Amino acid sequence: MQIKGILIPIGGNEDKGIETKERYHLEFIEEGILARVAKECGGCDRSIAVIPTASSIPDEVMDNYIRAFDRLGCTNVNIVDIREQKDSEDRQNIATIEQADCVMFSGGSQSKIVQKIGGSTIHNILLERYKNEKIVIAGTSAGAMCMSTEMISGGSGKEAFIKGAVRMKKGMGFMSNLVIDSHFITRGRFGRLAEAIARFPEFLGVGLAEDTGLVIKNCNTFEVIGSGMVILFDPSEIRHNNEKLLKKGMPMSISNLKTHSLANGDRFDIEERTLKVTPSDKAFMV
């Protein structure tokens, strides 16, 4: 089935959990990425809905988003302030989501997004519109990680490749063929994403560096945007994976896990596993 919506997951640009930092820096606020978000939804005159549910300081984040989009000339920016589950059934919030050309999820805790929005009227509207309309659904850090069906909800990124180091939950289900991790380079989350892929080898693992994102179209092809790198884990040709055999806390091993490092402008087809790397104009099998 042809998917008409566009997903833009972004890797964030600062550490989480330090509120004084979040207060002064809106994640990924780099004009290149924000401008691309505005472009993909049709331009700065389009309606943008910001959902700060994941953040521990939603009021400050809301103000930062409004100022950031204002700098780009985007004046039709609306806040969908969901702090409790009941807010996902609020008539005004529902109307805003129904009319939005772009919906932007902030960073914070991806579990908050799922707990307060998952399964709600707003969630169902987003799923339906994503399938049938050219709506942009963007998100940074937690807002990116929640996009997948199987979502990383926590766990140490700096431990060795140990079974149980990553915690998984059901996500928002916009993408069923990816597992996404953010702040991938600065937080050393190689082992965390590798375990997630060992547990779900039918998916592609995506590690997003800060100030870096993807523009995903038709729920399959994506282009890398931003200044950092994207690490892909492709498990399609794994020869050894002992995840199912081990007890929690034991070191794991996996062999023939393909790894790709991509940068701005590179493109990838998830279904075909084909890669087009800038400046080459020829796709090749990987």
Side-chain angles (χ1 to χ4, degrees), residues 16-17 22 27 54-56 106-113 140-143:
K16 289 273 186 207
E22 188 180 357
E27 288 194 331
S55 177
S56 59
S106 78
S109 167
Q110 55 270 32
S111 293
K112 286 184 180 180
I113 297 173
T140 181
S141 191

Side-chain angles (χ1 to χ4, degrees), residues 3-285:
I3 302 294
K4 295 185 178 180
I6 298 171
L7 294 181
I8 305 182
I10 304 155
N13 81 345
E14 65 183 7
D15 287 345
K16 289 273 186 207
I18 303 176
E19 294 185 3
T20 55
K21 285 190 176 182
E22 188 180 357
R23 194 178 300 276
Y24 295 109
H25 301 280
L26 180 59
E27 288 194 331
F28 81 88
I29 292 303
E30 299 289 337
E31 281 198 0
I33 291 179
L34 269 186
R36 182 61 181 269
V37 170
K39 177 182 178 181
E40 291 294 340
C41 74
C44 287
D45 61 333
R46 300 295 179 136
S47 173
I48 298 172
V50 175
I51 303 179
T53 301
S55 177
S56 59
I57 49 169
D59 292 327
E60 289 87 341
V61 169
M62 287 187 281
D63 291 341
N64 285 340
Y65 270 107
I66 291 171
R67 287 197 299 269
F69 279 114
D70 182 65
R71 288 199 299 269
L72 292 174
C74 300
T75 56
N76 190 7
V77 180
N78 304 285
I79 303 300
V80 180
D81 192 4
I82 299 174
R83 305 196 190 193
E84 305 294 340
Q85 287 182 328
K86 62 181 177 63
D87 298 328
S88 292
E89 305 296 337
D90 177 82
R91 290 184 180 180
Q92 183 58 54
N93 286 340
I94 290 170
T96 301
I97 294 298
E98 287 177 332
Q99 297 165 14
D101 299 292
C102 172
V103 174
M104 173 80 75
F105 288 94
S106 78
S109 167
Q110 55 270 32
S111 293
K112 286 184 180 180
I113 297 173
V114 175
Q115 290 166 2
K116 298 176 182 181
I117 303 176
S120 68
T121 298
I122 281 180
H123 185 204
N124 290 330
I125 290 170
L126 286 174
L127 287 170
E128 187 66 22
R129 293 194 65 200
Y130 173 60
K131 291 177 184 177
N132 299 306
E133 301 177 35
K134 195 181 176 182
I135 185 175
V136 171
I137 301 176
T140 181
S141 191
M145 294 171 68
C146 76
M147 292 180 176
S148 55
T149 299
E150 298 294 340
M151 176 187 78
I152 294 175
S153 62
S156 173
K158 296 185 178 180
E159 291 183 18
F161 190 24
I162 301 294
K163 182 169 181 176
V166 63
R167 297 190 300 275
M168 304 291 294
K169 291 182 179 178
K170 294 297 181 181
M172 298 292 279
F174 300 119
M175 289 287 295
S176 61
N177 49 10
L178 300 180
V179 175
I180 301 171
D181 211 345
S182 62
H183 301 278
F184 192 73
I185 305 302
T186 58
R187 299 191 185 183
R189 288 176 166 171
F190 188 101
R192 188 166 93 160
L193 184 59
E195 185 191 349
I197 293 306
R199 194 182 302 182
F200 298 101
E202 65 272 30
F203 301 146
L204 187 75
V206 177
L208 298 173
E210 296 177 353
D211 187 34
T212 309
L214 305 177
V215 177
I216 304 173
K217 297 186 177 180
N218 196 31
C219 206
N220 180 55
T221 59
F222 66 71
E223 174 190 354
V224 178
I225 59 174
S227 64
M229 69 174 71
V230 174
I231 302 298
L232 295 187
F233 289 163
D234 179 358
S236 59
E237 297 181 18
I238 285 178
R239 294 174 184 165
H240 166 75
N241 176 8
N242 65 358
E243 191 273 339
K244 299 274 191 281
L245 305 176
L246 299 177
K247 294 180 180 180
K248 186 175 180 180
M250 296 184 67
M252 300 172 61
S253 63
I254 190 169
S255 69
N256 213 47
L257 176 63
K258 287 186 179 181
T259 304
H260 310 294
S261 178
L262 306 182
N264 187 290
D266 293 341
R267 292 172 168 81
F268 193 84
D269 186 301
I270 298 170
E271 182 177 348
E272 299 295 331
R273 295 294 200 266
T274 54
L275 176 65
K276 183 182 289 187
V277 180
T278 306
S280 173
D281 60 356
K282 184 177 180 180
F284 56 91
M285 296 297 296

